[in-house]
Amino acid sequence: MWTYNVTREILMAGKWTVLPKLIPPNEAVLIRDALASEVNVMEVYCIKTHGKLPNPLPTRHEVKLICNFRDVRDASLSYMRFTHCEFSQGLSAIKHMMDLTDYYLKAFETTTLPLRYEDITHSPIQLIDKLCAHLGVSLSDSKKREILEKYSKESIKKKLKEISEVRLGEGGQVKGAKHQSRFESVRNFDGTYRTYEKNTAFQSNHITSKKDGEWRTAFKQDEIAQIHSLCQHWLIEYGYQI
């Protein structure tokens, strides 16, 4: 979500009209509308997906892709906490993450910018430079720092605290008329709900990891063995230590 929102900010700072104004929880709707939309000068659809877009893309637009990838051990732990799912579902998520990364970095190799998730913490300004170059947008250093501050970890934590304070009913309905145009709910695997903000697509409890490498102590030894049996070759290929 950091990459998605920072990308939107860069495009807006470059004087583009960025669509959609409100981001639907159902990404299929956004993708359908974006691919079928008319080509207009200085108007751009910015979409995110957890699935595979068709290759070639059925659209008249010039398309630039960005692919985030992360140590899937940390990513699966975060996913399990975020969606309230079981370990078996976390393993399935690992398979999906690896497959998705391989697909975009190979099927769309010439149009995709790969971004390592861990660099959001370690070198965020360099990531903004890469995004600007990929998108063809020139920004001043002060504007880059402004965007970086808006989406710093502390700023995002404040945003998530605000989102978590929006009350939901037992069926997931957003309480309070003033919140209903800005927020929706998304159902977790255990039947509970989390709050979704349509301006940014951030959700309550979106940050669930305290540090990289937390998987080492969070998973049991037999679970780690299962994970490594599944993904050790992928981890090595993408530069992660076993």
Side-chain angles (χ1 to χ4, degrees), residues 1-233:
M1 290 315 307
W2 183 91
T3 302
Y4 183 62
N5 280 282
V6 166
T7 296
R8 286 170 63 90
E9 290 286 341
I10 290 171
L11 290 168
M12 285 187 284
K15 308 304 181 184
W16 290 86
T17 297
V18 178
L19 300 173
K21 300 295 185 181
L22 296 178
I23 306 154
N26 183 348
E27 66 179 37
V29 173
L30 174 55
I31 292 168
R32 180 200 65 203
D33 291 348
L35 293 179
S37 64
E38 296 294 328
V39 177
N40 293 318
V41 176
M42 297 309 291
E43 183 177 87
V44 60
Y45 263 90
C46 191
I47 68 176
K48 62 179 182 64
T49 181
H50 296 91
K52 293 180 180 179
L53 295 173
N55 182 26
L57 285 165
T59 184
R60 290 163 290 178
H61 291 276
E62 176 188 1
V63 178
K64 296 182 179 181
L65 300 172
I66 301 162
C67 179
N68 278 114
F69 63 93
R70 183 184 185 184
D71 186 325
V72 290
R73 296 165 294 190
D74 278 322
S76 64
L77 177 62
S78 179
Y79 175 81
M80 289 169 61
R81 289 172 171 172
F82 181 51
T83 63
H84 300 192
C85 74
E86 301 296 329
F87 177 71
S88 60
Q89 292 162 309
L91 284 179
S92 295
I94 286 177
K95 294 177 185 176
H96 180 68
M97 294 171 191
M98 293 190 299
D99 184 43
L100 212 57
T101 302
D102 291 343
Y103 175 72
Y104 279 106
L105 296 187
K106 292 171 184 175
F108 294 96
E109 181 180 4
T110 60
T111 54
T112 299
L113 173 67
L115 290 185
R116 188 177 292 266
Y117 173 90
E118 293 80 7
D119 290 341
I120 295 174
T121 299
H122 302 305
S123 53
I125 195 66
Q126 285 83 0
L127 285 193
I128 290 180
D129 287 338
K130 288 181 180 179
L131 286 167
C132 286
H134 184 61
L135 298 169
V137 176
S138 179
L139 298 182
S140 66
D141 289 342
S142 62
K143 186 62 181 180
K144 292 176 186 176
R145 288 192 296 269
E146 179 185 325
I147 294 172
L148 182 58
E149 176 59 30
K150 184 174 182 179
Y151 291 99
S152 68
K153 196 164 189 177
E154 290 307 312
S155 296
I156 292 173
K157 283 181 178 178
K158 291 179 182 177
K159 165 68 73 178
L160 298 183
K161 183 176 184 297
E162 176 191 356
I163 295 172
S164 69
E165 290 172 352
V166 176
R167 309 324 304 167
L168 301 176
E170 289 186 4
Q173 68 273 22
V174 176
K175 292 186 174 182
K178 68 177 182 179
H179 294 312
Q180 289 171 359
S181 63
R182 181 179 164 194
F183 298 98
E184 293 189 27
S185 66
V186 178
R187 198 170 188 269
N188 294 314
F189 280 103
D190 63 358
T192 60
Y193 291 87
R194 58 188 185 270
T195 308
Y196 175 98
E197 184 190 51
K198 291 184 280 187
N199 300 81
T200 62
F202 277 118
Q203 302 175 49
S204 54
N205 201 36
H206 222 139
I207 297 179
T208 60
S209 301
K210 296 178 181 178
K211 60 181 179 179
D212 296 338
E214 195 178 352
W215 62 269
R216 298 178 187 277
T217 54
F219 288 123
K220 300 173 184 177
Q221 286 304 308
D222 66 307
E223 292 174 335
I224 292 175
Q226 291 182 66
I227 292 170
H228 280 163
S229 176
L230 178 64
C231 67
Q232 63 177 346
H233 295 297

